[in-house]
Amino acid sequence: MCSLPVPREPLRRVAVTGGTHGNEMSGVYLARHWLQAPAELQRLSFSAVPVLANPAATAACRRYVDHDLNRAFTSSFLNSRPTPDDPYEVTRARELNQLLGPKASGRAFDFVLDLHNTTANMGTCLIAKSSHEVFAMHLCRHLQLQYPELSCQVFLCQRSGEESYNLDSVAKNGLALELGPQPQGVLRADIFSRMRTLVATVLDFIELFNQGTAFPAFEMEAYRPVGVMDFPRTDAGNLAGTVHPQLQDRDFQPLQPGAPIFQMFSGEDLLYDGESTVYPVFINEAAYYEKGIAFVQTEKFTFTVPAMPVLNPAPSPAS
Amino acid sequence: MTSCHIAEEPIKKVAIFGGTHGNELTGVFLVKHWLENGAEIQRTGLEVKPFITNPRAVKKCTRYIDCDLNRIFDLENLGKKMSEDLPYEVRRAQEIYHLFGPKDGEDSYDIIFDLHNTTSNMGCTLILEDSRNNFLIQMFHYIKTSLAPLPCYVYLIEHPSLKYATTRSIAKYPVGIEVGPQPQGVLRADILDQMRKMIKHALDFIHHFNEGKEFPPCAIEVYKIIEKVDYPRDENGEIAAVIHPNLQDQDWKPLHPGDPMFLTLDGKTMPLGGDCIVYPVFVNEAAYYEKKEAFAKTTKLMLNAKSIRCSVH
């Protein structure tokens, strides 16, 4: 099992994107603030660029206008010929691909950090593609060590054989911060402040790396998806029940076979009939009702992350 | 002391509205469930009709299509000439008015329960529009007592300019039921259970009343709206400060002059001014950002109700 190439040069081109979903307010307000006052995104060896990823959805305070932007970064969407009828977000994804990519090319940004909120009780969740992303894994480890009180959980979202579709996949390295619970359209001070602090620490890590800091090998525990569970539905496709009180808010906690997962409107409990323990995440996320997902089932696993090769220190600060 | 009691007409027709805001899901799914199986909301001698008020907004899981249905049941909007050019909700309001109103009409609905959720930490809330409505004060007293020890708060929106023209206001006895916190577009089992209990106790009260039970004089604590407070905004109208962490989730708790109220994006605390203790409600409600309301200030007071008994017995 091999890892993907680690950066061999300092990371110079870094972006922080907010408002990829226009109603996830921490990133929206941070992006807007930094577009006016970018000083806090500057470091000695680089400056991160703030980007408001989905302006139209942000203006309307909706997740998206036509199509989920964070599902629009596949080569099929990015490389097909533009037509006048293209959904807003497909056109926007191509623009962002020009700005921050092109995806999988040598010209792409070195690193993109994408900011999200969830209505699920996921606390501080760090979302990366896979365990092979050595740089991202060291970054996650750094965040976990800096903020032990936050219990940052690492979720590795890419399923094998599947192409990446999310915004931060356009860059050479990427990470998403997923903070919750926060309702759509609501800006909570505590979550906003935590997001801001985490962004600063991500940029500090990149600076440490650029300055030639050594990062030794370590063991990492993470969660990867093994399936999804939809809500119980009527023949017409309407909800017939909702997440059981004993599962609600228990993201990242073990779910055993036989435990209740749904409560029907008529009162009965539906039990989990899988064969092994899973760790549900995105439990009762508002935006996933239409995707047919009541929660995502994950498995917990541990793997070794190799040491990151030390850079020669950056010769001079970026201007 | 003789307590004079009010002899009230029996209650004949009750409506339960869900989906007035299409993304407040508890009411949507309770009403949809009761439309399939209404056993739980039946009471002898009482017609109880569950009804989805804004089906297009429910289908899109959005608060409204053109305008807020819960703000337009005033004479002007209800009186507009019906046309395809009218906003969807105005046309819908007129349909609802014809089905359930007019107020005090022969065939009109006596009581309308309108089911809502809020992203604010308001718990179980009953909304009262008229401080002199003995029947509803008695009902609210009964619901609060039945729910205890689960708290149930009463929000009085009687105010010369701040009262709004609600969907339920077309009935003689309008009752707002608001349960939170719940994100828009999310259905939580615990919140569903709380709202279900509130309706059960409300219907039980009506049933006892119709059966001739006398309810002695009572008093309830209510929170009456004083004013709405907007977010501090910058020159572009964008929000420049957020609800302070000390105020977030503290609906119904006293806020003293000098207590933190907002936190600017630069980290500065903005305290409550003035010289009165207030009780904030609808703290950080998602739908109120566009209405320029960060929270509403209320004052706490006691409302009294005379004894009531159904006039038929």
Side-chain angles (χ1 to χ4, degrees):
Chain A
M1 177 171 99
C2 67
S3 310
L4 296 174
V6 285
R8 297 297 185 160
E9 298 288 326
L11 276 55
R12 300 265 187 233
R13 297 167 76 226
V14 176
V16 185
T17 53
T20 300
H21 295 134
N23 54 11
E24 295 176 14
M25 304 307 272
S26 307
V28 166
Y29 277 89
L30 281 170
R32 278 199 187 136
H33 175 70
W34 292 322
L35 285 164
Q36 302 297 323
E40 85 194 49
L41 299 181
Q42 289 163 8
R43 297 294 181 275
L44 276 179
S45 63
F46 72 99
S47 288
V49 172
V51 178
L52 188 67
N54 195 335
T58 299
C61 197
R62 299 159 53 117
R63 181 177 177 85
Y64 58 81
V65 175
D66 296 324
H67 182 93
D68 191 334
L69 180 61
N70 213 28
R71 300 292 183 276
F73 290 87
T74 59
S75 48
S76 151
F77 281 122
L78 293 176
N79 302 328
S80 51
R81 257 190 59 195
T83 78
D85 298 321
D86 280 337
Y88 170 82
E89 278 85 6
V90 171
T91 306
R92 183 63 183 149
R94 293 190 188 119
E95 283 169 17
L96 288 166
N97 194 39
Q98 287 296 104
L99 176 72
L100 304 173
K103 181 171 173 176
S105 80
R107 297 185 319 258
F109 260 54
D110 297 312
F111 190 88
V112 165
L113 180 67
D114 192 23
L115 307 183
H116 287 269
N117 295 117
T118 174
T119 60
N121 188 28
M122 286 169 70
T124 304
C125 180
L126 314 174
I127 304 184
K129 235 179 282 189
S130 77
S131 54
H132 306 304
E133 307 272 311
V134 173
F135 185 83
M137 292 303 96
H138 278 277
L139 168 56
C140 289
R141 185 69 184 137
H142 182 78
L143 293 172
Q144 288 175 327
L145 291 172
Q146 290 295 308
Y147 305 109
E149 72 281 11
L150 291 183
S151 298
C152 303
Q153 307 287 9
V154 177
F155 176 63
L156 302 175
C157 59
Q158 187 158 27
R159 307 197 66 171
S160 66
E162 200 183 62
E163 189 195 352
S164 59
Y165 47 65
N166 54 329
L167 189 154
D168 59 270
S169 72
V170 301
K172 291 175 187 160
N173 291 281
L175 188 74
L177 298 182
E178 184 87 54
L179 265 50
Q182 181 171 266
Q184 299 169 339
V186 167
L187 181 64
R188 285 184 64 103
D190 51 1
I191 301 220
F192 177 81
S193 157
R194 195 190 325 153
M195 182 85 87
R196 197 174 189 171
T197 301
L198 288 164
V199 172
T201 308
V202 169
L203 301 183
D204 290 345
F205 175 84
I206 295 173
E207 179 65 22
L208 283 171
F209 172 79
N210 286 354
Q211 297 299 342
T213 309
F215 295 99
F218 66 97
E219 290 279 294
M220 162 104 16
E221 187 182 81
Y223 298 83
R224 63 185 163 200
V226 293
V228 300
M229 189 77 91
D230 192 9
F231 291 92
R233 292 182 186 269
T234 65
D235 293 330
N238 295 315
L239 295 190
T242 192
V243 173
H244 196 277
Q246 284 178 38
L247 175 60
Q248 180 68 49
D249 301 333
R250 295 216 159 104
D251 301 73
F252 295 107
Q253 292 177 37
L255 174 66
Q256 317 285 4
I261 50 174
F262 296 113
Q263 190 168 74
M264 308 297 276
F265 299 139
S266 41
E268 320 83 85
D269 290 350
L270 285 190
L271 309 180
Y272 176 54
D273 66 356
E275 282 171 10
S276 55
T277 299
V278 291
Y279 295 81
V281 303
F282 285 110
I283 299 174
N284 218 343
E285 158 58 52
Y288 286 2
Y289 280 52
E290 69 175 22
K291 297 190 201 293
I293 297 172
F295 60 92
V296 175
Q297 298 159 284
T298 75
E299 63 181 4
K300 193 161 57 164
F301 72 114
T302 310
F303 55 97
T304 307
V305 180
M308 198 132 67
V310 177
L311 274 192
N312 294 319
S316 60
S319 54
Chain B
M1 174 180 111
T2 36
S3 68
C4 73
H5 73 251
I6 310 286
E8 304 264 0
E9 294 280 300
I11 301 296
K12 298 197 205 53
K13 291 162 84 160
V14 172
I16 306 180
F17 287 174
T20 296
H21 297 134
N23 54 11
E24 294 177 16
L25 295 192
T26 312
V28 169
F29 284 98
L30 279 174
V31 164
K32 280 187 175 179
H33 175 65
W34 290 328
L35 285 168
E36 295 285 308
N37 183 352
E40 168 190 352
I41 54 172
Q42 293 315 312
R43 299 291 186 277
T44 335
L46 190 64
E47 183 196 317
V48 182
K49 186 179 167 75
F51 186 79
I52 295 285
T53 46
N54 196 337
R56 278 186 60 194
V58 167
K59 198 166 152 85
K60 282 186 71 173
C61 197
T62 188
R63 182 178 177 86
Y64 56 80
I65 303 296
D66 296 325
C67 62
D68 192 331
L69 182 61
N70 212 30
R71 297 290 183 277
I72 52 165
F73 278 78
D74 51 83
L75 292 173
E76 194 201 325
N77 276 302
L78 292 175
K80 283 181 177 153
K81 188 162 173 283
M82 178 57 86
S83 111
E84 282 300 303
D85 298 326
L86 284 181
Y88 168 73
E89 277 84 8
V90 175
R91 285 180 272 136
R92 190 64 187 147
Q94 292 186 6
E95 282 168 24
I96 293 168
Y97 184 66
H98 288 125
L99 283 169
F100 295 94
K103 215 184 205 66
D104 299 323
E106 277 271 326
D107 293 317
S108 303
Y109 278 68
D110 302 301
I111 304 177
I112 295 176
F113 296 102
D114 194 19
L115 307 182
H116 288 267
N117 292 117
T118 173
T119 60
S120 304
N121 188 26
M122 286 167 69
C124 295
T125 301
L126 292 162
I127 306 185
L128 184 65
E129 304 198 359
D130 173 7
S131 59
R132 287 157 306 174
N133 194 318
N134 285 288
F135 180 80
L136 284 184
I137 294 169
Q138 289 280 4
M139 179 197 284
F140 288 13
H141 179 261
Y142 179 90
I143 296 172
K144 280 164 66 79
T145 309
S146 306
L147 281 175
L150 182 68
C152 180
Y153 303 93
V154 178
Y155 180 39
L156 175 65
I157 60 168
E158 186 178 64
H159 187 281
S161 56
L162 296 177
K163 184 169 172 175
Y164 44 94
T166 59
T167 316
R168 57 192 179 260
S169 65
I170 58 180
K172 184 172 174 194
Y173 298 117
V175 177
I177 294 186
E178 184 92 50
V179 185
Q182 180 170 270
Q184 298 168 340
V186 168
L187 186 65
R188 286 184 65 105
D190 51 1
I191 301 275
L192 187 91
D193 189 59
Q194 287 173 25
M195 193 178 282
R196 214 165 186 166
K197 286 189 165 111
M198 292 172 78
I199 287 286
K200 173 195 158 7
H201 296 312
L203 294 176
D204 287 347
F205 170 84
I206 297 165
H207 178 69
H208 293 320
F209 171 78
N210 279 357
E211 296 282 289
K213 183 178 157 104
E214 175 164 344
F215 292 89
C218 72
I220 56 169
E221 187 177 80
V222 309
Y223 294 80
K224 179 174 170 165
I225 187 168
I226 308 171
E227 72 173 312
K228 296 177 180 178
V229 180
D230 189 14
Y231 293 95
R233 291 173 188 271
D234 64 20
E235 57 278 359
N236 299 320
E238 298 293 351
I239 286 172
V242 58
I243 295 281
H244 194 279
N246 290 18
L247 175 55
Q248 179 67 50
D249 302 332
Q250 303 303 309
D251 303 70
W252 312 112
K253 306 260 174 59
L255 188 68
H256 303 84
D259 285 348
M261 192 171 53
F262 295 109
L263 185 65
T264 70
L265 298 187
D266 303 319
K268 216 175 65 126
T269 294
M270 300 173 65
L272 177 72
D275 45 18
C276 299
I277 297 175
V278 297
Y279 297 82
V281 302
F282 282 113
V283 177
N284 212 345
E285 159 55 54
Y288 288 1
Y289 282 53
E290 71 173 20
K291 296 194 200 295
K292 308 204 178 313
E293 179 181 337
F295 66 96
K297 290 179 181 173
T298 71
T299 183
K300 205 164 45 159
L301 56 106
M302 296 299 287
L303 282 189
N304 295 293
K306 300 184 167 68
S307 157
I308 59 163
R309 200 174 66 188
C310 182
S311 59
V312 164
H313 296 264

